[in-house]
Structure formats: C-alpha cells, structure tokens
Amino acid sequence: MRNKKRYAVVIDTYVYAENDYMARRKAHDIKRGIVGDHSRVIEITECPFASMQTRNLEDISEPTLNNSNVWVESDELPF
C-alpha cells in the first residue's frame, strides 16, 4: 500500500427496512461489504418514497451479535 493514497468517499444509497434497527443493520452491512472496516456510516435518514419529510436516526451505531449469533440492541452506557 505504499504507492496508494487514501481518499474519503461519501456514498449515498437507499435502504429499505422494516424499522430503524434493521435500517442500521443493513447500512453497516453495506459499509462493510464495500471497503471493510476502513469506512464509517456518517448519517442514516428515514425518507419515505414520494415524501418531502425525512427523519435522521439519532442512534446510527452498528448493532452487535450476542454469543448465540443473534443481533441485539446495544444497552446505553450509564454515564
């Protein structure tokens, strides 16, 4: 990688999901599939088709797997 330069790229796409949790999960799956863990999700916005109203998700963290390989919602830290 000595001869390669690093560039920041913003990728915009739509994700269809049943709820906020699944939208976060799909967004991070796409991120990992594109370039591995060398990128980050900056923003996730709910934008219904043909609607002018959008909503930014407050929590865009990546969901985690538990010991049984089941996706779980992260607990908030007490501070």
Side-chain angles (χ1 to χ4, degrees), residues 1-7:
M1 291 185 94
R2 280 189 173 159
N3 298 333
K4 293 187 179 182
K5 295 180 182 179
R6 182 176 167 185
Y7 295 88

Side-chain angles (χ1 to χ4, degrees), residues 4 14 19 27 33 44 60 77:
K4 293 187 179 182
Y14 288 99
N19 52 47
I44 302 174
I60 61 169
L77 297 175

Side-chain angles (χ1 to χ4, degrees):
M1 291 185 94
R2 280 189 173 159
N3 298 333
K4 293 187 179 182
K5 295 180 182 179
R6 182 176 167 185
Y7 295 88
V9 178
V10 176
I11 298 172
D12 188 306
T13 187
Y14 288 99
V15 173
Y16 291 89
E18 298 81 23
N19 52 47
D20 292 356
Y21 175 83
M22 291 303 294
R24 289 175 30 225
R25 182 174 156 197
K26 287 183 178 186
H28 286 277
D29 286 345
I30 290 169
K31 175 203 68 161
R32 265 193 318 282
I34 293 172
V35 292
D37 287 330
H38 300 289
S39 64
R40 62 186 175 155
V41 174
I42 296 170
E43 184 177 281
I44 302 174
T45 303
E46 178 185 13
C47 36
F49 183 76
S51 175
M52 297 297 285
Q53 295 183 7
T54 61
R55 179 181 64 89
N56 289 342
L57 274 63
E58 292 179 23
D59 179 11
I60 61 169
S61 64
E62 181 173 7
T64 56
L65 288 171
N66 65 10
N67 293 337
S68 303
N69 287 333
V70 176
W71 292 101
V72 293
E73 189 68 34
S74 300
D75 294 332
E76 288 190 28
L77 297 175
F79 50 87

